[in-house]
Amino acid sequence: MNIAVLRKHLTDNRRGFLGWALSITAVAAMYSSMWPVMGGNSGLATAVNSFPKSMRDAFHMEDYGTVAGYFGSTVFGLLVPILLAVFATAAGTSAIAGDEEAGTLDLVMAYPVRRVTLALSRWLAVLAAIALTGLVLLLVELAIRVPARFAALSAANLAAMTFQLTLFGCCFASIAFGIGAYTGRRMHAIAGGAYVTIIAYLCDSFLPQINGLHWIQYWSPFHWYLGGEPLKNGIQWIHCALLAGLGLSFAAIGICGFNRRDLTQGN
């Protein structure tokens, strides 16, 4: 790893990274602040609990009237992880493939930096941006925890949920990074990351509702992120290992492919 390369990538993309971090945090804070009105509404909770079980399972709407159930289905259940997956895919794509297609990677390669070092440093810079997003989100959630009246949700479990959300984002960033580094094609990385995101979501939500396909959710990063209910049970280390393992595998394949690829025959 080269600290200068890592710092340069973070500095060059600081506005975009910070913008995504604040936007994702703002969405999470908005849904969190609605807990007293939405989650604390017994009539609404009763109505939600009357939905068909398959629908509640698909949208993680179990125990909607409890603070953990509300946060699991709204704040951390759909929009925030989807936004983070989009951010992660975009950041992972731009790390190598984006600059390569834009023609700016040649300028970086002119310096005495090995390919593996360059790719590894940029990948770690993207992961650092995802981690910063998770940290900002956690600090804001802890700050509004008492005013928004969800203090029943322990700080430890909230930190566990945010930690797994961060790993979830790092996983999708690594997938897009790996595809982009291996192929050198921005569109391949975007399409691959989007495809994995959509398939992973379907495997965790709608496909398990089909008879005989319940097992498929255990192969989904969305299930690894949320299925163990970290808001109730704390960090699920096996799920964390699966998220980290999938991300590391894509990143390693991408870095190896980038190291062997003839860049002069690329774009």
Side-chain angles (χ1 to χ4, degrees):
M1 182 186 70
N2 187 302
I3 296 297
V5 174
L6 186 152
R7 185 171 58 244
K8 183 71 164 58
H9 191 67
L10 286 174
T11 302
D12 290 346
N13 296 277
R14 62 187 182 280
R15 290 186 179 87
F17 290 161
L18 185 59
W20 272 105
L22 294 178
S23 298
I24 293 171
T25 300
V27 170
M30 179 185 70
Y31 277 100
S32 299
S33 63
M34 294 173 65
W35 155 250
V37 178
M38 302 293 290
N41 187 324
S42 58
L44 180 60
T46 301
V48 170
N49 290 333
S50 68
F51 292 167
K53 187 178 185 305
S54 58
M55 181 178 177
R56 286 185 281 119
D57 289 344
F59 291 100
H60 299 285
M61 300 177 75
E62 303 89 348
D63 301 324
Y64 191 83
T66 66
V67 62
Y70 172 82
F71 273 69
S73 62
T74 56
V75 182
F76 296 103
L78 179 59
L79 196 53
V80 168
I82 289 293
L83 287 174
L84 185 63
V86 172
F87 166 42
T89 299
T93 297
S94 65
I96 296 294
D99 279 359
E100 187 172 347
E101 282 203 357
T104 56
L105 191 64
D106 294 341
L107 298 175
V108 180
M109 296 301 298
Y111 288 89
V113 179
R114 295 175 60 240
R115 288 193 189 188
V116 172
T117 301
L118 171 67
L120 179 61
S121 300
R122 288 200 165 189
W123 174 58
L124 291 176
V126 171
L127 299 192
I130 303 293
L132 173 64
T133 301
L135 177 61
V136 171
L137 191 153
L138 176 60
L139 292 177
V140 170
E141 289 293 311
L142 291 175
I144 67 174
R145 181 166 156 260
V146 173
R149 292 186 286 177
F150 58 90
L153 188 62
S154 73
N157 286 348
L158 190 58
M161 184 75 263
T162 309
F163 175 71
Q164 292 198 200
L165 176 68
T166 301
L167 275 181
F168 172 84
C170 289
C171 177
F172 280 94
S174 300
I175 290 171
F177 169 85
I179 296 173
Y182 190 87
T183 64
R185 300 290 182 178
R186 180 172 171 272
M187 286 307 301
H188 289 178
I190 293 175
Y195 178 81
V196 172
T197 301
I198 294 171
I199 294 300
Y201 178 70
L202 291 177
C203 287
D204 180 56
S205 57
F206 297 104
L207 293 180
Q209 311 312 318
I210 301 174
N211 288 336
L213 287 181
H214 180 74
W215 56 270
I216 202 169
Q217 70 178 150
Y218 300 112
W219 294 86
S220 170
F222 274 88
H223 179 76
W224 303 340
Y225 151 63
L226 195 59
E229 298 186 277
L231 288 170
K232 296 179 181 178
N233 305 317
I235 295 177
Q236 304 297 296
W237 291 109
I238 294 178
H239 289 175
C240 289
L242 290 171
L243 287 169
L246 181 61
L248 285 171
S249 299
F250 269 89
I253 292 171
I255 291 173
C256 290
F258 177 67
N259 188 46
R260 291 186 296 209
R261 200 156 41 79
D262 184 359
L263 299 183
T264 62
Q265 300 298 319
N267 303 299

